[in-house]
Amino acid sequence: MENANTQFQQWEVFIQAKNGSPFEHAGSIHAADKKMALQNARDIYTRRCEGRSLWVVPTNAIAATVAEEEAEFFDPADDKIYRTPNFYKMPKGTTNL
Amino acid sequence: MTKFIVRLIFIKCLKAQPICNDEHKNARYNFCLRLADNNLILAQRLAEWCSKGPILEEDLAITNMSLDLFGQAESFYDYAAAVIESNSSADELAFLRSEREYLNTLMVEQPNGDFAFTMMKQMLFSAYTKLLYESLSKSVDRTLAGLSAKALKEAKYHLRHSSEWVIRLGNGTNESKERVQFALNELWLFVDDMFAMDENDEALITIGVIENTKDIKPKWLMFIKQILEEANLQITSNTNSISGGIKGIHTEHLGHLLCEMQYLQRAYPGAKW
């Protein structure tokens, strides 16, 4: 007999380290609803002062690329070196760029 | 008029030398010990959940709460010892006192039962400590006020976590509702004991170190009723209650808990690791 999946819904957790910083993916958790998901995320991912703000997103709400599409999605960027700023000369005297 | 003047002089004295005599020292010692004991015993109970949580997330949440409470216990023990200028360490107060010397309220020593029971216990207790710390954070005793303000943040989170669970369990399946209602009925027996007061409280109220904790009970009840309504649960009509924690008279469960908690220090005095 197959084991039924008794886990709560899965959520992805994003943490903002400080005001103005981007939210970065920290990992995932299980929880029954939004409120509980935030609490579980807090208890698992912010125990060591990792952040001051949290997002949780249902995992199934995230659209992701799939492995089969990897080549057509990403390979064409391989030979477009002109898209990077390598060919600009730094103006003399610029220090804080 | 004389009464008014006497009162004024009294207030002036208070301002000049707050919390001075031995009676007040002992009262403060006992009061802090009680706060520490409550936190220590509940922390030990919650620690029993370690690796046994219903889900990984909850396992961490419960042990996080446990560690918060151990931390609070330690600061209140340290302060209790400092008040009477004793050299006792927090460890000594925790590991070398016997059951009758523990002043914790009976609620916290009750066994964990199932998850619903643990969350109900946590909610009833955290709602109390939240109100208590709110009040103590305004104490004229600045150290007690500071420790309480710090503990208040943790109590608020514990209350949030446990009350959200109570609401969900109450509105969940028939089984979860039955279990959480059972927990409420069983634990109601120990509610009055949480609000028990003795001569130490009376002494501290007169010098403004604590507010009348009797004022906390109606606020507590109002809050709890709100949550229980949301959770679709009924307060039991059974009005029995038992008390004695404040006098060191406990239910049978505390002895077993201390036995396990104190075993190492009793068997190997002074052991460190």
Side-chain angles (χ1 to χ4, degrees):
Chain A
M1 201 180 93
E2 257 182 68
N3 283 333
N5 182 6
T6 56
Q7 296 269 30
F8 290 130
Q9 186 185 357
Q10 187 174 319
W11 303 72
E12 299 304 318
V13 179
F14 298 84
I15 301 178
Q16 187 186 40
K18 54 179 194 246
N19 222 347
S21 305
F23 282 77
E24 286 176 16
H25 187 235
S28 59
I29 46 119
H30 289 98
D33 55 45
K34 280 185 205 173
K35 257 190 184 172
M36 295 303 240
L38 280 172
Q39 290 180 192
N40 290 350
R42 177 261 194 196
D43 282 324
I44 289 180
Y45 293 110
T46 66
R47 291 160 37 105
R48 299 181 182 88
C49 308
E50 288 90 339
R52 303 297 299 176
S53 186
L54 277 173
W55 284 351
V56 288
V57 182
T59 302
N60 62 18
I62 291 179
T65 55
V66 292
E68 295 80 66
E69 297 165 345
E70 191 187 326
E72 64 195 76
F73 258 77
F74 304 110
D75 286 355
D78 279 353
D79 56 356
K80 313 292 192 297
I81 194 166
Y82 51 83
R83 289 178 182 166
T84 62
N86 298 0
F87 307 105
Y88 290 98
K89 284 213 170 94
M90 286 282 279
K92 268 182 192 161
T94 309
T95 49
N96 295 318
L97 199 72
Chain B
M1 189 61 189
T2 345
K3 220 177 173 182
F4 181 68
I5 291 169
V6 169
R7 220 191 141 118
L8 266 184
I9 293 170
F10 180 64
I11 291 171
K12 264 202 156 158
C13 285
L14 269 186
K15 279 193 176 155
Q17 36 174 202
I19 317 144
C20 37
N21 65 35
D22 285 349
E23 184 202 342
H24 292 146
K25 272 188 187 174
N26 278 332
R28 273 200 302 164
Y29 172 74
N30 271 292
F31 184 79
C32 291
L33 208 55
R34 210 192 299 156
L35 290 179
D37 286 350
N38 278 346
N39 288 322
L40 179 72
I41 299 302
L42 188 56
Q44 176 71 12
R45 277 287 180 234
L46 290 174
E48 292 170 10
W49 271 103
C50 188
S51 83
K52 300 191 184 107
I55 54 170
L56 177 70
E57 286 81 348
E58 206 52 45
D59 208 273
L60 268 163
I62 294 174
T63 41
N64 276 350
M65 287 198 275
S66 171
L67 286 171
D68 287 348
L69 296 175
F70 276 125
Q72 291 178 24
E74 189 181 17
S75 2
F76 286 123
Y77 280 136
D78 282 340
Y79 186 49
V83 164
I84 56 160
E85 288 149 43
S86 132
N87 291 325
S88 299
S89 67
D91 280 350
E92 282 162 1
L93 288 171
F95 294 124
L96 301 178
R97 281 180 308 138
S98 66
E99 187 188 347
R100 285 299 305 270
E101 295 168 288
Y102 264 84
L103 304 177
N104 61 279
T105 189
L106 303 178
M107 174 93 72
V108 294
E109 71 201 36
Q110 298 313 305
N112 286 331
D114 57 21
F115 180 69
F117 201 89
T118 298
M119 284 300 126
M120 180 58 82
K121 181 161 48 139
Q122 191 68 43
M123 181 188 78
L124 298 174
F125 180 73
S126 298
Y128 162 71
T129 52
K130 176 191 168 263
L131 292 166
L132 181 68
Y133 292 145
E134 262 169 9
S135 157
L136 292 178
S137 60
K138 290 174 252 156
S139 171
V140 295
D141 179 333
R142 296 318 299 161
T143 309
L144 188 58
L147 294 176
S148 302
K150 183 167 178 275
L152 174 61
K153 289 184 200 166
E154 292 172 342
K156 277 183 178 171
Y157 189 80
H158 301 170
L159 177 59
R160 176 195 169 110
H161 187 88
S162 52
S163 60
E164 292 293 348
W165 267 116
V166 166
I167 291 168
R168 280 159 184 76
L169 293 168
N171 292 297
T173 61
N174 284 341
E175 186 180 358
S176 72
K177 186 184 163 77
E178 214 169 274
R179 283 175 184 250
V180 76
Q181 179 67 59
F182 171 79
L184 177 61
N185 298 349
E186 292 288 301
L187 288 165
W188 205 253
L189 194 60
F190 307 105
V191 163
D192 283 343
D193 190 59
M194 258 188 331
F195 300 95
M197 291 171 66
D198 63 9
E199 67 281 359
N200 294 312
D201 299 77
E202 306 295 343
L204 295 178
I205 288 167
T206 57
I207 57 168
V209 170
I210 61 169
E211 271 183 58
N212 193 338
T213 45
K214 272 188 192 125
D215 297 344
I216 290 179
K217 194 174 177 186
K219 289 187 205 162
W220 178 88
L221 199 58
M222 209 164 73
F223 175 84
I224 291 295
K225 279 182 174 165
Q226 233 176 317
I227 298 289
L228 294 179
E229 196 181 326
E230 220 180 312
N232 219 353
L233 300 171
Q234 311 293 328
I235 292 178
T236 170
S237 53
N238 185 347
T239 53
N240 286 347
S241 75
I242 57 170
S243 56
I246 201 167
K247 295 195 195 76
I249 299 167
H250 294 279
T251 57
E252 65 187 284
H253 308 294
L254 182 65
H256 296 286
L257 181 149
L258 291 181
C259 211
E260 188 175 334
M261 189 180 80
Q262 298 184 333
Y263 158 75
L264 199 101
Q265 278 301 318
R266 300 283 196 187
Y268 305 96
K272 287 199 166 79
W273 62 284

